[in-house]
Amino acid sequence: MARMAPIPLDQMTEEQRDLHDLIAKQRSRGQVQGPFAVMLHAPDVCERVAEMVNHLLQETRVALTLKELAIITIARQYTAQYEWYVHAKRAKEVGLDDAVIDAIRHRRRPDFNSFNESLVYDMTLEMVEKRRLSDALYASALDAFGEAALVELVALIGFYIMIAVFLVSFEVEVPDSNAVLLVD
């Protein structure tokens, strides 16, 4: 059970309702769920997080497959069920190989189809586990992506680590009772 219940629509302030409606319009399901349902308790935070999600997932130089690969790697490392639930589906939709997704789900190193996928996976794991990016991975990433895309990728990784911490701290539930959850 989630630690903080969503605010019922009829109990929202005008600011919360306006933000709720904006987020619902931006999301494919037209609903405010997951971290946003909890963040509406602090609308100023919710608004900024929603803006950052939109920016990082839409308006950057990094390929969607690489973004989703980083996010599911983070979700797996934190056992962030909601993050996995949303982004494993998206990873598949944008073309990440099912075998890669399955290996990450089971905490195995995937056999990657590209050097860049392997690089993003290694970067993400290192940043989660060691809380830094080594000189060797930094140099490889800089060479592979260039400065601007590397900044965007590191920002995405850091941001989704924050989202994972948020989700596990508030025990945000997956909205599908039939979803296959991560197991530690």
Side-chain angles (χ1 to χ4, degrees):
M1 175 177 253
R3 288 182 166 168
M4 193 173 291
I7 305 167
L9 287 175
D10 63 348
Q11 294 177 23
M12 289 184 184
T13 66
E14 185 176 333
E15 178 185 25
Q16 289 167 326
R17 182 57 192 251
D18 289 347
L19 186 54
H20 171 278
D21 293 348
L22 176 67
I23 292 168
K25 191 169 118 181
Q26 293 170 339
R27 301 295 173 254
S28 61
R29 292 181 298 274
Q31 297 176 359
V32 177
Q33 297 178 325
F36 297 111
V38 175
M39 286 182 195
L40 278 171
H41 288 274
D44 52 331
V45 172
C46 185
E47 181 177 19
R48 286 164 179 85
V49 168
E51 289 171 3
M52 193 67 165
V53 166
N54 291 340
H55 174 74
L56 289 172
L57 291 181
Q58 296 172 13
E59 304 168 8
T60 68
R61 295 159 186 86
V62 179
L64 280 173
T65 54
L66 299 178
K67 292 176 190 182
E68 294 299 338
L69 171 61
I71 296 166
I72 66 170
T73 301
I74 293 162
R76 172 64 276 186
Q77 292 301 303
Y78 280 87
T79 312
Q81 301 288 1
Y82 188 90
E83 194 169 48
W84 179 267
Y85 169 77
V86 169
H87 290 280
K89 281 194 259 185
R90 286 189 188 160
K92 183 177 179 150
E93 289 168 5
V94 299
L96 196 61
D97 191 282
D98 286 342
V100 169
I101 297 167
D102 188 62
I104 292 169
R105 174 184 181 68
H106 292 98
R107 296 191 187 270
R108 295 188 313 264
R109 180 176 182 76
D111 293 324
F112 290 103
N113 297 322
S114 76
F115 172 78
N116 284 353
E117 287 180 3
S118 178
L119 180 58
V120 167
Y121 178 80
D122 290 341
M123 287 175 59
T124 305
L125 271 185
E126 186 170 90
M127 292 170 70
V128 169
E129 293 174 350
K130 297 185 179 176
R131 293 168 180 75
R132 65 179 308 274
L133 185 57
S134 68
D135 290 342
L137 280 177
Y138 174 83
S140 291
L142 183 61
D143 185 53
F145 303 119
E147 289 177 343
L150 179 55
V151 168
E152 292 170 349
L153 182 56
V154 170
L156 176 122
I157 292 168
F159 181 80
Y160 275 92
I161 288 170
M162 185 267 305
I163 295 295
V165 169
F166 184 89
L167 291 166
V168 298
S169 295
F170 286 100
E171 297 178 358
V172 174
E173 296 175 329
V174 171
D176 179 357
S177 61
N178 296 317
V180 179
L181 300 178
L182 296 169
V183 178
D184 268 336

